[in-house]
PDB file of all heavy atoms in Angstrom:
ATOM      1  N   TYR A 153      98.637 172.652 133.510  1.00  0.00           N
ATOM      2  CA  TYR A 153      98.212 171.634 132.510  1.00  0.00           C
ATOM      3  C   TYR A 153      99.240 171.707 131.376  1.00  0.00           C
ATOM      4  O   TYR A 153      99.541 172.730 130.818  1.00  0.00           O
ATOM      5  CB  TYR A 153      96.809 171.984 131.975  1.00  0.00           C
ATOM      6  CG  TYR A 153      96.381 171.163 130.835  1.00  0.00           C
ATOM      7  CD1 TYR A 153      96.204 169.776 131.051  1.00  0.00           C
ATOM      8  CD2 TYR A 153      96.120 171.648 129.620  1.00  0.00           C
ATOM      9  CE1 TYR A 153      95.751 168.943 130.030  1.00  0.00           C
ATOM     10  CE2 TYR A 153      95.759 170.857 128.618  1.00  0.00           C
ATOM     11  CZ  TYR A 153      95.555 169.535 128.766  1.00  0.00           C
ATOM     12  OH  TYR A 153      95.133 168.698 127.715  1.00  0.00           O
ATOM     13  N   LYS A 154      99.697 170.477 131.013  1.00  0.00           N
ATOM     14  CA  LYS A 154     100.632 170.360 129.893  1.00  0.00           C
ATOM     15  C   LYS A 154      99.901 169.451 128.821  1.00  0.00           C
ATOM     16  O   LYS A 154      99.553 168.390 129.083  1.00  0.00           O
ATOM     17  CB  LYS A 154     101.966 169.627 130.314  1.00  0.00           C
ATOM     18  CG  LYS A 154     102.731 170.378 131.330  1.00  0.00           C
ATOM     19  CD  LYS A 154     103.258 171.702 130.756  1.00  0.00           C
ATOM     20  CE  LYS A 154     104.200 172.375 131.746  1.00  0.00           C
ATOM     21  NZ  LYS A 154     104.460 173.776 131.367  1.00  0.00           N
ATOM     22  N   HIS A 155      99.805 170.047 127.653  1.00  0.00           N
ATOM     23  CA  HIS A 155      99.065 169.348 126.611  1.00  0.00           C
ATOM     24  C   HIS A 155      99.999 168.754 125.578  1.00  0.00           C
ATOM     25  O   HIS A 155      99.599 167.944 124.743  1.00  0.00           O
ATOM     26  CB  HIS A 155      98.064 170.328 125.894  1.00  0.00           C
ATOM     27  CG  HIS A 155      97.208 169.634 124.882  1.00  0.00           C
ATOM     28  ND1 HIS A 155      96.175 168.762 125.310  1.00  0.00           N
ATOM     29  CD2 HIS A 155      97.158 169.616 123.526  1.00  0.00           C
ATOM     30  CE1 HIS A 155      95.561 168.257 124.275  1.00  0.00           C
ATOM     31  NE2 HIS A 155      96.164 168.738 123.153  1.00  0.00           N
ATOM     32  N   GLY A 156     101.256 169.070 125.589  1.00  0.00           N
ATOM     33  CA  GLY A 156     102.221 168.606 124.585  1.00  0.00           C
ATOM     34  C   GLY A 156     102.390 167.085 124.535  1.00  0.00           C
ATOM     35  O   GLY A 156     102.049 166.372 125.472  1.00  0.00           O
ATOM     36  N   ARG A 157     102.875 166.645 123.441  1.00  0.00           N
ATOM     37  CA  ARG A 157     103.088 165.201 123.223  1.00  0.00           C
ATOM     38  C   ARG A 157     104.540 164.868 123.312  1.00  0.00           C
ATOM     39  O   ARG A 157     105.349 165.548 122.638  1.00  0.00           O
ATOM     40  CB  ARG A 157     102.546 164.780 121.897  1.00  0.00           C
ATOM     41  CG  ARG A 157     101.071 164.965 121.830  1.00  0.00           C
ATOM     42  CD  ARG A 157     100.529 164.612 120.463  1.00  0.00           C
ATOM     43  NE  ARG A 157      99.379 165.367 120.254  1.00  0.00           N
ATOM     44  CZ  ARG A 157      98.687 165.362 119.122  1.00  0.00           C
ATOM     45  NH1 ARG A 157      99.078 164.600 118.135  1.00  0.00           N
ATOM     46  NH2 ARG A 157      97.564 166.081 118.989  1.00  0.00           N
ATOM     47  N   GLY A 158     104.905 163.816 124.004  1.00  0.00           N
ATOM     48  CA  GLY A 158     106.234 163.341 123.964  1.00  0.00           C
ATOM     49  C   GLY A 158     107.223 164.093 124.769  1.00  0.00           C
ATOM     50  O   GLY A 158     108.420 163.710 124.769  1.00  0.00           O
ATOM     51  N   VAL A 159     106.837 165.103 125.481  1.00  0.00           N
ATOM     52  CA  VAL A 159     107.748 165.846 126.317  1.00  0.00           C
ATOM     53  C   VAL A 159     107.329 165.618 127.736  1.00  0.00           C
ATOM     54  O   VAL A 159     106.305 166.136 128.212  1.00  0.00           O
ATOM     55  CB  VAL A 159     107.729 167.389 125.950  1.00  0.00           C
ATOM     56  CG1 VAL A 159     108.619 168.141 126.875  1.00  0.00           C
ATOM     57  CG2 VAL A 159     107.990 167.572 124.449  1.00  0.00           C
ATOM     58  N   LYS A 160     108.144 164.859 128.481  1.00  0.00           N
ATOM     59  CA  LYS A 160     107.838 164.579 129.873  1.00  0.00           C
ATOM     60  C   LYS A 160     108.283 165.803 130.733  1.00  0.00           C
ATOM     61  O   LYS A 160     109.314 166.361 130.568  1.00  0.00           O
ATOM     62  CB  LYS A 160     108.663 163.353 130.344  1.00  0.00           C
ATOM     63  CG  LYS A 160     108.312 162.937 131.728  1.00  0.00           C
ATOM     64  CD  LYS A 160     109.034 161.696 132.160  1.00  0.00           C
ATOM     65  CE  LYS A 160     108.634 161.408 133.593  1.00  0.00           C
ATOM     66  NZ  LYS A 160     109.536 160.474 134.217  1.00  0.00           N
ATOM     67  N   VAL A 161     107.341 166.121 131.652  1.00  0.00           N
ATOM     68  CA  VAL A 161     107.610 167.272 132.590  1.00  0.00           C
ATOM     69  C   VAL A 161     107.358 166.699 133.985  1.00  0.00           C
ATOM     70  O   VAL A 161     106.233 166.269 134.244  1.00  0.00           O
ATOM     71  CB  VAL A 161     106.645 168.428 132.320  1.00  0.00           C
ATOM     72  CG1 VAL A 161     106.868 169.553 133.320  1.00  0.00           C
ATOM     73  CG2 VAL A 161     106.833 168.954 130.913  1.00  0.00           C
ATOM     74  N   ASP A 162     108.358 166.698 134.826  1.00  0.00           N
ATOM     75  CA  ASP A 162     108.274 166.257 136.163  1.00  0.00           C
ATOM     76  C   ASP A 162     107.778 167.345 137.099  1.00  0.00           C
ATOM     77  O   ASP A 162     108.225 168.508 136.954  1.00  0.00           O
ATOM     78  CB  ASP A 162     109.627 165.753 136.717  1.00  0.00           C
ATOM     79  CG  ASP A 162     110.000 164.387 136.050  1.00  0.00           C
ATOM     80  OD1 ASP A 162     109.083 163.549 135.887  1.00  0.00           O
ATOM     81  OD2 ASP A 162     111.185 164.201 135.715  1.00  0.00           O
ATOM     82  N   ALA A 163     106.950 166.970 138.085  1.00  0.00           N
ATOM     83  CA  ALA A 163     106.491 167.981 139.037  1.00  0.00           C
ATOM     84  C   ALA A 163     107.521 168.259 140.135  1.00  0.00           C
ATOM     85  O   ALA A 163     107.635 169.353 140.682  1.00  0.00           O
ATOM     86  CB  ALA A 163     105.203 167.520 139.611  1.00  0.00           C
ATOM     87  N   GLU A 164     108.325 167.199 140.480  1.00  0.00           N
ATOM     88  CA  GLU A 164     109.329 167.335 141.506  1.00  0.00           C
ATOM     89  C   GLU A 164     110.401 168.245 141.001  1.00  0.00           C
ATOM     90  O   GLU A 164     110.935 168.136 139.914  1.00  0.00           O
ATOM     91  CB  GLU A 164     109.876 165.966 141.870  1.00  0.00           C
ATOM     92  CG  GLU A 164     108.894 165.229 142.778  1.00  0.00           C
ATOM     93  CD  GLU A 164     109.539 164.080 143.470  1.00  0.00           C
ATOM     94  OE1 GLU A 164     110.732 164.187 143.866  1.00  0.00           O
ATOM     95  OE2 GLU A 164     108.893 162.997 143.615  1.00  0.00           O
ATOM     96  N   LYS A 165     110.843 169.158 141.900  1.00  0.00           N
ATOM     97  CA  LYS A 165     111.929 170.123 141.612  1.00  0.00           C
ATOM     98  C   LYS A 165     111.636 170.910 140.351  1.00  0.00           C
ATOM     99  O   LYS A 165     112.572 171.256 139.644  1.00  0.00           O
ATOM    100  CB  LYS A 165     113.308 169.387 141.596  1.00  0.00           C
ATOM    101  CG  LYS A 165     113.710 168.702 142.901  1.00  0.00           C
ATOM    102  CD  LYS A 165     115.013 168.068 142.738  1.00  0.00           C
ATOM    103  CE  LYS A 165     115.317 167.361 144.087  1.00  0.00           C
ATOM    104  NZ  LYS A 165     116.560 166.691 144.102  1.00  0.00           N
ATOM    105  N   ASN A 166     110.366 171.252 140.111  1.00  0.00           N
ATOM    106  CA  ASN A 166     109.956 171.932 138.920  1.00  0.00           C
ATOM    107  C   ASN A 166     110.002 173.406 139.254  1.00  0.00           C
ATOM    108  O   ASN A 166     109.164 173.877 140.006  1.00  0.00           O
ATOM    109  CB  ASN A 166     108.551 171.474 138.497  1.00  0.00           C
ATOM    110  CG  ASN A 166     108.093 172.103 137.238  1.00  0.00           C
ATOM    111  OD1 ASN A 166     108.050 173.272 137.137  1.00  0.00           O
ATOM    112  ND2 ASN A 166     107.741 171.236 136.289  1.00  0.00           N
ATOM    113  N   THR A 167     110.926 174.152 138.657  1.00  0.00           N
ATOM    114  CA  THR A 167     111.085 175.582 138.914  1.00  0.00           C
ATOM    115  C   THR A 167     109.849 176.406 138.448  1.00  0.00           C
ATOM    116  O   THR A 167     109.529 177.417 139.067  1.00  0.00           O
ATOM    117  CB  THR A 167     112.351 176.154 138.253  1.00  0.00           C
ATOM    118  OG1 THR A 167     112.321 175.891 136.899  1.00  0.00           O
ATOM    119  CG2 THR A 167     113.597 175.539 138.922  1.00  0.00           C
ATOM    120  N   GLN A 168     109.186 175.947 137.440  1.00  0.00           N
ATOM    121  CA  GLN A 168     108.000 176.683 136.917  1.00  0.00           C
ATOM    122  C   GLN A 168     106.928 176.627 137.976  1.00  0.00           C
ATOM    123  O   GLN A 168     106.352 177.655 138.396  1.00  0.00           O
ATOM    124  CB  GLN A 168     107.495 176.076 135.624  1.00  0.00           C
ATOM    125  CG  GLN A 168     106.281 176.806 135.056  1.00  0.00           C
ATOM    126  CD  GLN A 168     105.802 176.223 133.748  1.00  0.00           C
ATOM    127  OE1 GLN A 168     106.336 175.221 133.254  1.00  0.00           O
ATOM    128  NE2 GLN A 168     104.735 176.836 133.140  1.00  0.00           N
ATOM    129  N   LEU A 169     106.623 175.511 138.532  1.00  0.00           N
ATOM    130  CA  LEU A 169     105.665 175.308 139.601  1.00  0.00           C
ATOM    131  C   LEU A 169     106.025 176.034 140.876  1.00  0.00           C
ATOM    132  O   LEU A 169     105.208 176.669 141.533  1.00  0.00           O
ATOM    133  CB  LEU A 169     105.373 173.844 139.863  1.00  0.00           C
ATOM    134  CG  LEU A 169     104.685 173.053 138.769  1.00  0.00           C
ATOM    135  CD1 LEU A 169     104.569 171.569 139.141  1.00  0.00           C
ATOM    136  CD2 LEU A 169     103.378 173.640 138.365  1.00  0.00           C
ATOM    137  N   ALA A 170     107.347 176.035 141.161  1.00  0.00           N
ATOM    138  CA  ALA A 170     107.807 176.735 142.363  1.00  0.00           C
ATOM    139  C   ALA A 170     107.571 178.218 142.261  1.00  0.00           C
ATOM    140  O   ALA A 170     107.172 178.873 143.240  1.00  0.00           O
ATOM    141  CB  ALA A 170     109.289 176.360 142.620  1.00  0.00           C
ATOM    142  N   LEU A 171     107.865 178.745 141.067  1.00  0.00           N
ATOM    143  CA  LEU A 171     107.601 180.229 140.905  1.00  0.00           C
ATOM    144  C   LEU A 171     106.165 180.526 140.969  1.00  0.00           C
ATOM    145  O   LEU A 171     105.747 181.632 141.488  1.00  0.00           O
ATOM    146  CB  LEU A 171     108.276 180.688 139.550  1.00  0.00           C
ATOM    147  CG  LEU A 171     109.765 180.775 139.598  1.00  0.00           C
ATOM    148  CD1 LEU A 171     110.353 180.964 138.193  1.00  0.00           C
ATOM    149  CD2 LEU A 171     110.209 181.964 140.472  1.00  0.00           C
ATOM    150  N   TYR A 172     105.289 179.716 140.417  1.00  0.00           N
ATOM    151  CA  TYR A 172     103.844 179.906 140.495  1.00  0.00           C
ATOM    152  C   TYR A 172     103.446 179.985 141.960  1.00  0.00           C
ATOM    153  O   TYR A 172     102.576 180.742 142.403  1.00  0.00           O
ATOM    154  CB  TYR A 172     103.014 178.902 139.716  1.00  0.00           C
ATOM    155  CG  TYR A 172     103.073 179.068 138.248  1.00  0.00           C
ATOM    156  CD1 TYR A 172     103.005 177.907 137.436  1.00  0.00           C
ATOM    157  CD2 TYR A 172     103.113 180.301 137.593  1.00  0.00           C
ATOM    158  CE1 TYR A 172     102.984 178.009 136.066  1.00  0.00           C
ATOM    159  CE2 TYR A 172     103.123 180.359 136.221  1.00  0.00           C
ATOM    160  CZ  TYR A 172     103.080 179.242 135.469  1.00  0.00           C
ATOM    161  OH  TYR A 172     103.062 179.386 134.098  1.00  0.00           O
ATOM    162  N   ALA A 173     103.943 178.979 142.759  1.00  0.00           N
ATOM    163  CA  ALA A 173     103.615 178.962 144.160  1.00  0.00           C
ATOM    164  C   ALA A 173     104.077 180.192 144.881  1.00  0.00           C
ATOM    165  O   ALA A 173     103.306 180.742 145.737  1.00  0.00           O
ATOM    166  CB  ALA A 173     104.238 177.719 144.791  1.00  0.00           C
ATOM    167  N   LEU A 174     105.256 180.680 144.617  1.00  0.00           N
ATOM    168  CA  LEU A 174     105.761 181.908 145.212  1.00  0.00           C
ATOM    169  C   LEU A 174     104.856 183.059 144.803  1.00  0.00           C
ATOM    170  O   LEU A 174     104.579 183.970 145.623  1.00  0.00           O
ATOM    171  CB  LEU A 174     107.234 182.161 144.814  1.00  0.00           C
ATOM    172  CG  LEU A 174     108.261 181.196 145.443  1.00  0.00           C
ATOM    173  CD1 LEU A 174     109.593 181.383 144.782  1.00  0.00           C
ATOM    174  CD2 LEU A 174     108.357 181.540 146.933  1.00  0.00           C
ATOM    175  N   GLY A 175     104.504 183.076 143.498  1.00  0.00           N
ATOM    176  CA  GLY A 175     103.627 184.224 142.999  1.00  0.00           C
ATOM    177  C   GLY A 175     102.302 184.153 143.625  1.00  0.00           C
ATOM    178  O   GLY A 175     101.569 185.217 143.756  1.00  0.00           O
ATOM    179  N   ALA A 176     101.806 182.994 144.026  1.00  0.00           N
ATOM    180  CA  ALA A 176     100.446 182.856 144.573  1.00  0.00           C
ATOM    181  C   ALA A 176     100.462 183.448 145.991  1.00  0.00           C
ATOM    182  O   ALA A 176      99.423 183.924 146.493  1.00  0.00           O
ATOM    183  CB  ALA A 176     100.049 181.366 144.654  1.00  0.00           C
TER     184      ALA A 176
END
Side-chain angles (χ1 to χ4, degrees):
Y153 174 64
K154 298 294 186 193
H155 188 71
R157 296 178 207 177
V159 179
K160 184 179 180 197
V161 179
D162 288 320
E164 284 195 35
K165 298 181 183 178
N166 184 304
T167 56
Q168 181 178 5
L169 294 176
L171 285 167
Y172 287 147
L174 288 168

